[in-house]
Amino acid sequence: DIQMTQSPSSLSASVGDRVTITCRASQSISTYLNWYQQKSGKAPKFLIYAASSLQSGVPSRFSGSGSGTDFSLTISSLQPEDFGTYYCQQSYSIPWTFGQGTKVEIK
Amino acid sequence: QVQLQQSGPGLVRPSQTLSLTCAISGDSVSSNSASWNWIRQSPSRGLEWLAGTYYTSRWYNDYAVSVKSRISINPDTSKNQFSLQLNSVTPEDTAVYYCARRGCSGGRCFYDYWGQGTLVTVSS
């Protein structure tokens, strides 16, 4: 199975800050990389696919980049509603696997 | 708008069978462009895909190796839903279980719709 490793495991930032989360795959996955946001007690919400394509309705302050083994999710100007845990997930090979998550807290 | 509504018990005794159902609205379990999946989440295992079912001329089921010997996923076209059965459960199967649709765009696929989640506790 492909292992996905995220860093940091948690971060605290202020409203308006630029925030970047990284995700590394244990082998090359091209751009078969998706991002999700999860709030406490809720199901994950789909944000980005193919490493950099924004799902319809997702605010443009979210962006993704990367290919091969190294990826990142950036929030250009953190908003209060952006708190939660973010997960990367590879769709390159079955079984699809997730990172362990990055918890974003608002200062 | 696709909606997934989960149902099933929140407490299962050890060695018994965990059974959950996911009712679909806004799409069809027989859709040629989607698959229907079960994913669980626990502090120890994180988010873990368990099983998926999809229809392209016939039904296909995929299972995670970790649970393959004791899991079953079944589509029900008459009720437009699919179900999960996990046999011989242990406390390690305690988790929040989600159903999710795998959709695709431009040849790339993702879990775009999720059920509300069901916390299943395995305990005597």
Side-chain angles (χ1 to χ4, degrees):
Chain A
D1 297 1
I2 298 175
Q3 183 174 356
M4 308 300 293
T5 304
Q6 292 181 229
S7 62
S9 56
S10 66
L11 66 90
S12 180
S14 300
V15 172
D17 283 353
R18 181 181 181 89
V19 169
T20 297
I21 298 167
T22 64
C23 175
R24 175 164 288 177
S26 60
Q27 67 181 73
S28 178
I29 58 170
S30 182
T31 56
Y32 288 82
L33 193 283
N34 305 320
W35 289 97
Y36 302 83
Q37 176 197 60
Q38 185 178 34
K39 298 196 175 183
S40 181
K42 301 294 186 181
K45 174 188 174 183
F46 172 50
L47 297 178
I48 289 172
Y49 67 100
S52 60
S53 296
L54 229 57
Q55 168 68 339
S56 175
V58 174
S60 59
R61 63 181 179 273
F62 289 91
S63 65
S65 66
S67 66
T69 61
D70 295 315
F71 303 87
S72 62
L73 171 70
T74 297
I75 308 172
S76 61
S77 178
L78 192 68
Q79 298 301 301
E81 60 267 30
D82 298 336
F83 74 92
T85 303
Y86 291 81
Y87 295 92
C88 61
Q89 173 249 317
Q90 63 83 16
S91 58
Y92 181 80
S93 68
I94 294 172
W96 290 4
T97 48
F98 294 83
Q100 81 281 12
T102 295
K103 186 174 184 178
V104 174
E105 296 176 322
I106 309 295
K107 277 183 184 175
Chain B
Q1 179 75 351
V2 176
Q3 293 187 330
L4 304 178
Q5 181 66 39
Q6 298 178 218
S7 60
L11 178 64
V12 181
R13 305 301 183 190
S15 80
Q16 300 301 303
T17 297
L18 182 161
S19 297
L20 296 172
T21 299
C22 183
I24 304 163
S25 58
D27 200 349
S28 169
V29 72
S30 305
S31 168
N32 285 326
S33 60
S35 76
W36 305 95
N37 297 269
W38 288 100
I39 296 165
R40 69 182 177 184
Q41 184 175 31
S42 66
S44 59
R45 292 175 173 263
L47 285 160
E48 178 187 20
W49 171 81
L50 297 175
T53 187
Y54 59 98
Y55 182 82
T56 52
S57 303
R58 70 171 179 91
W59 287 101
Y60 293 85
N61 296 333
D62 293 320
Y63 299 110
V65 169
S66 61
V67 294
K68 192 170 185 177
S69 64
R70 56 190 185 99
I71 196 171
S72 175
I73 185 171
N74 294 290
D76 183 342
T77 57
S78 66
K79 296 181 179 179
N80 201 31
Q81 63 186 31
F82 61 106
S83 63
L84 169 72
Q85 286 197 316
L86 184 64
N87 303 321
S88 304
V89 297
T90 72
E92 286 195 353
D93 294 310
T94 294
V96 177
Y97 286 75
Y98 294 101
C99 58
R101 187 184 85 160
R102 186 204 71 189
C104 301
S105 176
R108 299 303 176 89
C109 301
F110 34 76
Y111 299 121
D112 53 358
Y113 293 97
W114 297 65
Q116 78 276 22
T118 301
L119 172 60
V120 178
T121 301
V122 178
S123 175
S124 55

